[in-house]
Amino acid sequence: LFPYTTLFRSKWSKMNAILETLGIEDIAMTYLRHLVIALYGPTREKEIFEKIRTKVQGRPQAMVFLEQLADYADSYAAILNPTHAKWNSYPPQISEAIANLRELRVQQIRPLMLAAAKHFEPSEALTTFRSFINWTVRFLVAGGMRGGQLEDAYGERALDVSMGKIKNTKELLSSLVSEIPSDEEFKNAFATARVSQYPLARYYLRSIERCIRGEAQPELVPQQDTDFLNLEHILPQEPSGNWAHIDSETADAYTKRIGNMTLLKARTNTDFGNASFKIKRVEYKKSPLKITTLICDLTKEDTLWGPSQINERQRILAEYALKAWPSNL
């Protein structure tokens, strides 16, 4: 690809040395594609080398690209590592933002994260990465564009950031506002959403807990806040005789609804999950978590937990979700 073999090998080796610290298989090619997107716009995997051939012509451009190949690798490693040295000069909350984005497990936004990490000032970067969390949650819950379309939208904005056309979060939001799910779309989707991934469900619930408590920046969930908490399905995933009023079809439809999930301190009693709602309610009432005691606020001691209670609780959680993940900070 490059006639300057010695220089290419030197820069590629430097890049690899940085990326290898992440311990992620095949990360070099993923990084290369995300770098190309950030520098030249949306690019599919099969188009990487053709895009480089088209955009990098002549010795001066080749030299610049080789420098970027090694230089951007440090920022790429940083957006995947909350404890990276790059963040030492940034507001401390940036590490929580990076950890939460990693927990959300999305790749489409990485080229835009890379561009922002490279070009935005530290104080502005924190606002931007908090916004990335909020937009990501909205897309995960409400959907919208398909994966390729979303990646293209982020890729176009990444190019704008790299070229200096977008200089801050406000301008970035303005360029994406028509793509991000609106408050109404997000609230309606959240009110009926199902979540199959445990880490994702725990993150949602912990953020909403922070929102209910009126904590600042509720989307930034410290890792230690979730380490001691278990995800609890109120209606069990495999209902026993204590849940005879729930048929299998209803259980399948409602078990993984957000309104049927809560958080409890880790416990050793493995039988609790299939206990009756009356027994569970006693424990929920003792919880220091408002998202869990809310269950008791909505029910009485003789209540049988089912679809109507799940729908009502999830409707309330959806209202808090708007505050936990606003589209505009």
Side-chain angles (χ1 to χ4, degrees):
L1 181 60
F2 292 99
Y4 320 110
T5 305
T6 301
L7 181 60
F8 173 76
R9 287 177 177 171
S10 171
K11 297 302 182 181
W12 188 267
S13 295
K14 181 180 178 181
M15 177 204 78
N16 265 329
I18 294 171
L19 297 178
E20 283 174 357
T21 62
L22 295 169
I24 302 174
E25 189 175 353
D26 298 327
I27 190 64
M29 289 306 299
T30 302
Y31 161 67
L32 181 60
R33 186 166 84 90
H34 290 165
L35 173 64
V36 170
I37 292 173
L39 295 178
Y40 308 125
T43 307
R44 299 290 180 260
E45 186 172 357
K46 63 183 181 180
E47 301 169 344
I48 296 173
F49 295 108
E50 183 59 34
K51 179 68 71 74
I52 295 173
R53 289 189 184 95
T54 302
K55 298 293 184 178
V56 182
Q57 298 182 348
R59 183 180 179 87
Q61 290 185 356
M63 296 291 285
V64 169
F65 180 77
L66 289 175
E67 289 294 337
Q68 292 171 324
L69 186 70
D71 187 41
Y72 274 70
D74 192 62
S75 291
Y76 193 78
I79 66 172
L80 300 179
N81 180 6
T83 62
H84 194 279
K86 177 181 176 67
W87 307 126
N88 292 344
S89 60
Y90 284 65
Q93 299 94 330
I94 196 81
S95 293
E96 292 174 1
I98 297 299
N100 292 157
L101 282 163
R102 186 173 64 177
E103 192 170 25
L104 293 173
R105 302 178 183 181
V106 291
Q107 285 201 25
Q108 296 101 322
I109 200 170
R110 281 191 197 172
L112 184 53
M113 291 172 63
L114 175 61
K118 185 65 179 171
H119 297 285
F120 284 3
E121 293 296 320
S123 58
E124 186 63 34
L126 175 59
T127 303
T128 303
F129 277 80
R130 288 179 57 208
S131 296
F132 288 164
I133 294 172
N134 296 344
W135 303 343
T136 296
V137 170
R138 287 185 172 229
F139 278 119
L140 285 173
V141 172
M145 293 181 289
R146 294 181 178 178
Q149 293 175 311
L150 180 58
E151 182 179 81
D152 287 350
Y154 283 147
E156 289 165 0
R157 301 296 86 74
L159 176 59
D160 288 340
V161 171
S162 296
M163 294 179 66
K165 294 181 179 180
I166 292 177
K167 299 180 178 65
N168 53 51
T169 313
K170 183 178 180 180
E171 293 175 359
L172 189 54
L173 173 62
S174 178
S175 70
L176 284 169
V177 67
S178 62
E179 316 290 354
I180 299 168
S182 67
D183 284 357
E184 193 66 20
E185 290 170 332
F186 179 51
K187 183 177 73 171
N188 290 340
F190 200 95
T192 59
R194 290 164 50 90
V195 184
S196 297
Q197 299 179 38
Y198 279 26
L200 202 56
R202 288 205 309 173
Y203 169 75
Y204 289 163
L205 294 170
R206 193 64 188 93
S207 289
I208 292 176
E209 171 70 15
R210 287 171 58 82
C211 184
I212 294 174
R213 290 179 175 275
E215 296 184 35
Q217 302 175 349
E219 75 284 352
L220 299 182
V221 177
Q223 189 58 49
Q224 61 267 27
D225 283 12
T226 56
D227 285 344
F228 69 95
L229 295 172
N230 280 347
L231 181 66
E232 158 78 358
H233 292 78
I234 307 166
L235 166 61
Q237 297 186 82
E238 297 180 4
S240 66
N242 293 317
W243 295 85
H245 64 290
I246 301 292
D247 59 59
S248 59
E249 185 176 342
T250 301
D252 288 342
Y254 281 88
T255 299
K256 293 183 179 179
R257 286 275 299 273
I258 297 175
N260 186 55
M261 299 178 184
T262 196
L263 299 170
L264 285 177
K265 288 185 177 180
R267 58 170 59 246
T268 58
N269 182 3
T270 57
D271 294 331
F272 180 77
N274 277 309
S276 68
F277 178 67
K278 185 175 182 179
I279 292 175
K280 286 188 169 190
R281 189 179 182 279
V282 173
E283 292 300 310
Y284 297 159
K285 198 169 185 178
K286 299 175 185 177
S287 174
L289 300 173
K290 293 183 179 297
I291 201 168
T292 301
T293 57
L294 174 61
I295 299 165
C296 302
D297 296 339
L298 297 175
T299 61
K300 297 180 180 179
E301 291 184 7
D302 60 350
T303 300
L304 293 177
W305 185 262
S308 63
Q309 290 77 23
I310 294 170
N311 287 333
E312 175 60 14
R313 181 167 177 265
Q314 195 157 338
R315 183 192 65 78
I316 295 172
L317 297 183
E319 295 289 347
Y320 283 113
L322 286 178
K323 301 175 183 177
W325 300 287
S327 62
N328 186 13
L329 293 176

